[in-house]
Amino acid sequence: FWSWRGSVVPRIFCELIVAIGLGFLAYYADNVGVELVSLVDFLGSDASDVSLPSVERGEVLDAWVHALLILPIAFLLGFRSVIAYVRYWDGRTQVAEMVLAVGEMMRLIATYAEGDDEEAQIERAELRRLLNMLFAVARQHLALPHRSRQLGGAEMTMVTPNEGKVLAKLRNRLPIVAQWISFRLNECARAGRISRNDARLVESRLADFLRAWSGAKRVAKTPLPYAYVQVLNLLLYLFVYSAPFTFSRRFGVLTPALIAFV
């Protein structure tokens, strides 16, 4: 079956239909001789002394008017690209810190948790399960909105029924999972299966994980300035939706297909 996996077409489908409709409208208007915007007529008869690019009479929209939007759009898109690049590397660094912290906690537990009996193996396996759950919940919190954070898939295999009931009621599940890890470490330290100093090392790496998760959440949840986004979207809509009226004279019946590609 056909799949739109990784495609932006479903998200812009309505805008695409509007653009194609405007392409047909521009082709029709150009063929019947309708002038929606004429820079020469707007300036009037006194425009003879004004140095402007040549404008072909009968165009629906002067190409020179449409080209005026390119400079501010290029500036705003360049600024947005710089912000996106900085945010990407900041988020990537925080996620790498999270992966490193989980790996270090796994290594410390496997190295310093003493005992080869069955109970000790169960304790180590339980700590590994909680660490895997910690990373899975952190990834889910960063990737999905609150309404979509259902305990399913890989996360469901790590959660016991009682834990699932607790987590299902929470909006932010990561702190409670981190608390479960701390409780389990404290129990191991009390039983003498891991020294207090080694438990503190694991706790310090757990704190590093939470710090990196907080930084990644800040990157993921902080939007761009609202006024900047509104101005950029307005200019982009004007540029795209006015393009058919400049393409219609040159490309004719191909205008709807061309504007859909744009």
Side-chain angles (χ1 to χ4, degrees):
F1 295 96
W2 180 264
S3 176
W4 290 108
R5 184 179 302 173
S7 176
V8 298
V9 173
R11 299 177 57 185
I12 63 171
F13 183 76
C14 294
E15 290 85 350
L16 190 63
I17 295 300
V18 172
I20 293 174
L22 288 175
F24 283 110
L25 177 63
Y27 173 69
Y28 172 78
D30 185 68
N31 282 333
V32 300
V34 177
E35 294 183 10
L36 300 181
V37 176
S38 177
L39 185 62
V40 173
D41 290 344
F42 175 76
L43 293 175
S45 58
D46 297 333
S48 56
D49 297 331
V50 181
S51 178
L52 293 173
S54 60
V55 178
E56 185 177 353
R57 189 74 175 180
E59 287 182 334
V60 177
L61 178 65
D62 298 339
W64 188 77
V65 176
H66 186 255
L68 290 176
L69 297 172
I70 295 178
L71 183 60
I73 290 176
F75 174 78
L76 291 174
L77 285 178
F79 182 68
R80 183 172 184 174
S81 298
V82 172
I83 295 177
Y85 183 78
V86 172
R87 286 162 63 98
Y88 166 76
W89 276 107
D90 189 12
R92 191 177 187 275
T93 301
Q94 302 296 342
V95 172
E97 287 292 330
M98 291 167 57
V99 174
L100 178 62
V102 170
E104 281 294 297
M105 285 187 283
M106 292 278 194
R107 182 185 66 84
L108 290 170
I109 291 171
T111 303
Y112 297 112
E114 300 177 355
D116 295 328
D117 56 318
E118 184 178 357
E119 187 176 352
Q121 293 177 6
I122 292 174
E123 289 289 347
R124 285 194 291 268
E126 182 67 13
L127 283 169
R128 287 195 299 269
R129 182 185 71 85
L130 289 174
L131 288 174
N132 285 326
M133 188 198 306
L134 180 75
F135 191 82
V137 170
R139 182 181 59 186
Q140 188 186 57
H141 185 89
L142 294 174
L144 299 174
H146 173 60
R147 295 179 181 177
S148 302
R149 294 176 201 158
Q150 304 296 327
L151 292 174
E155 291 83 2
M156 201 63 184
T157 61
M158 308 174 191
V159 180
T160 64
N162 290 333
E163 290 171 348
K165 292 179 182 179
V166 174
L167 294 177
K169 300 175 183 179
L170 299 176
R171 181 174 183 179
N172 189 357
R173 298 164 181 160
L174 194 72
I176 192 66
V177 178
Q179 189 180 41
W180 290 342
I181 295 174
S182 297
F183 286 162
R184 183 66 63 174
L185 281 173
N186 189 40
E187 291 177 4
C188 290
R190 286 182 177 180
R193 299 191 181 279
I194 188 171
S195 67
R196 289 288 181 180
N197 290 334
D198 295 334
R200 291 191 187 97
L201 287 176
V202 179
E203 284 285 354
S204 67
R205 299 307 295 170
L206 180 59
D208 293 340
F209 179 92
L210 294 175
R211 190 179 303 109
W213 169 76
S214 179
K217 184 176 69 170
R218 183 190 68 248
V219 174
K221 305 302 180 182
T222 302
L224 291 173
Y226 180 76
Y228 168 81
V229 173
Q230 289 296 101
V231 171
L232 178 58
N233 288 340
L234 176 62
L235 290 176
L236 286 174
Y237 276 115
L238 286 175
F239 183 81
V240 173
Y241 288 155
S242 62
F245 301 100
T246 62
F247 293 169
S248 58
R249 172 54 60 91
R250 179 172 298 180
F251 298 102
V253 73
L254 296 177
T255 298
L258 182 62
I259 195 60
F261 177 78
V262 173

